[in-house]
Amino acid sequence: MKRQPAKTAADGMHAHAESSGHKRRILIVDDHPLFRHGIGDLINAETDLEVCGEADNAPSALESIRSLEPDLVTIDISLRGANGIELLKSIKAEHPRLPLLVLSMHDENLYALRSLRAGARGYIMKQEALDRVMNAIRHVLKGDLYVSPSMSGRMIEEFVQGGSGSTSGSIADKLTDRELEILQLIGQGHGVQQIARELNLSAKTVETHRAHVKEKLNFQTARELARFAVQWVDQQVV
């Protein structure tokens, strides 16, 4: 007699959705139209999931949540204006039971724990395989936390060693979410004007954040900070 593969909880949830004809509704929040459309097509191809709407910034996302009442929201870290971490906090305050999954290009070592603390139930990087993305969506819909196996291992090791629970390192721990985002962009070679355009901030605001970063990390000049940022970003590559 041929042995049947064991069914996972996600498989059971998938089968239940198929038998009941009910699809779980997902709102995609991302400021890249091509990515929204691409991931939307993939989600809509699933028998138990469907996209109920899209948003490209924080105010639009909050309005869409109120009007569409999705079952889950996927959120990118990089958004124009308020970033994804700030949006997570706003959504959690207004909709404390709504499952939130961060789907981002940013390194999980820097942002996964920050996202979970801000209210997300999971974090997955965009370059992960499609089946892992869908697995993350179903885990979070089911009420579970989701991070990659490697990230989970790091978090457990940090806990066992009696650390603060942060896996992002002492440099990142000194900075706010916005300051960390700007440090990363500086390290990627972006100037003040380019960062301002990407984050939909004024150049003066970016310069203020940069000055705070420089002060917190004890650098005397913007050039010293830029040199450090480039080296620091290179070190984050896994």
Side-chain angles (χ1 to χ4, degrees):
M1 182 175 179
K2 187 175 181 179
R3 189 184 187 94
Q4 296 297 321
K7 290 185 177 181
T8 65
D11 291 333
M13 179 180 166
H14 191 170
H16 174 73
E18 284 184 306
S19 62
S20 66
H22 173 66
K23 291 190 175 187
R24 310 303 293 276
R25 304 167 69 250
I26 299 172
L27 174 68
I28 301 171
V29 182
D30 195 290
D31 63 357
H32 291 86
L34 289 178
F35 178 80
R36 290 200 310 271
H37 297 160
I39 192 66
D41 288 343
L42 295 173
I43 290 172
N44 285 329
E46 298 292 305
T47 57
D48 58 330
L49 305 171
E50 67 178 357
V51 175
C52 66
E54 301 176 1
D56 63 0
N57 58 62
S60 176
L62 289 169
E63 182 57 36
S64 294
I65 290 170
R66 297 180 192 119
S67 61
L68 298 174
E69 299 183 350
D71 295 307
L72 177 142
V73 182
T74 68
I75 300 171
D76 192 6
I77 292 295
S78 295
L79 298 171
R80 296 185 181 279
N83 64 21
I85 299 292
E86 293 167 347
L87 177 58
L88 286 169
K89 295 174 183 177
S90 297
I91 296 174
K92 202 63 182 177
E94 189 172 330
H95 307 275
R97 295 173 181 259
L98 179 60
L100 308 173
L101 172 65
V102 174
L103 180 55
S104 179
M105 64 177 288
H106 289 294
D107 188 349
E108 63 183 356
N109 292 318
L110 298 177
Y111 286 101
L113 193 57
R114 285 173 181 259
S115 298
L116 296 178
R117 285 173 173 167
R121 295 292 297 174
Y123 191 104
I124 187 165
M125 297 177 66
K126 287 180 177 179
Q127 57 263 46
E128 290 287 351
L130 172 62
D131 59 340
R132 289 195 177 183
V133 174
M134 296 305 158
N135 190 37
I137 288 174
R138 293 191 176 99
H139 265 77
V140 173
L141 278 169
K142 192 163 62 72
D144 295 336
L145 285 172
Y146 183 91
V147 293
S148 72
S150 60
M151 187 65 200
S152 178
R154 292 188 190 103
M155 292 169 68
I156 292 172
E157 182 178 359
E158 223 14 86
F159 176 78
V160 170
Q161 292 178 351
S164 64
S166 171
T167 59
S168 57
S170 59
I171 295 298
D173 292 342
K174 295 179 182 179
L175 307 178
T176 67
D177 297 322
R178 180 63 90 185
E179 289 166 356
L180 180 62
E181 186 175 28
I182 287 176
L183 176 65
Q184 191 163 32
L185 290 172
I186 291 172
Q188 292 168 357
H190 298 189
V192 169
Q193 295 296 335
Q194 186 177 0
I195 295 173
R197 287 194 299 271
E198 289 190 21
L199 301 182
N200 199 27
L201 300 172
S202 70
K204 184 176 181 180
T205 298
V206 173
E207 288 174 347
T208 298
H209 284 304
R210 185 179 64 175
H212 290 161
V213 174
K214 183 162 61 74
E215 180 180 357
K216 288 180 179 181
L217 300 185
N218 297 315
F219 290 110
Q220 299 300 314
T221 67
R223 180 172 294 182
E224 289 178 355
L225 173 61
R227 187 182 305 115
F228 165 80
V230 170
Q231 295 172 348
W232 180 76
V233 166
D234 286 344
Q235 292 171 0
Q236 307 313 309
V237 177
V238 179

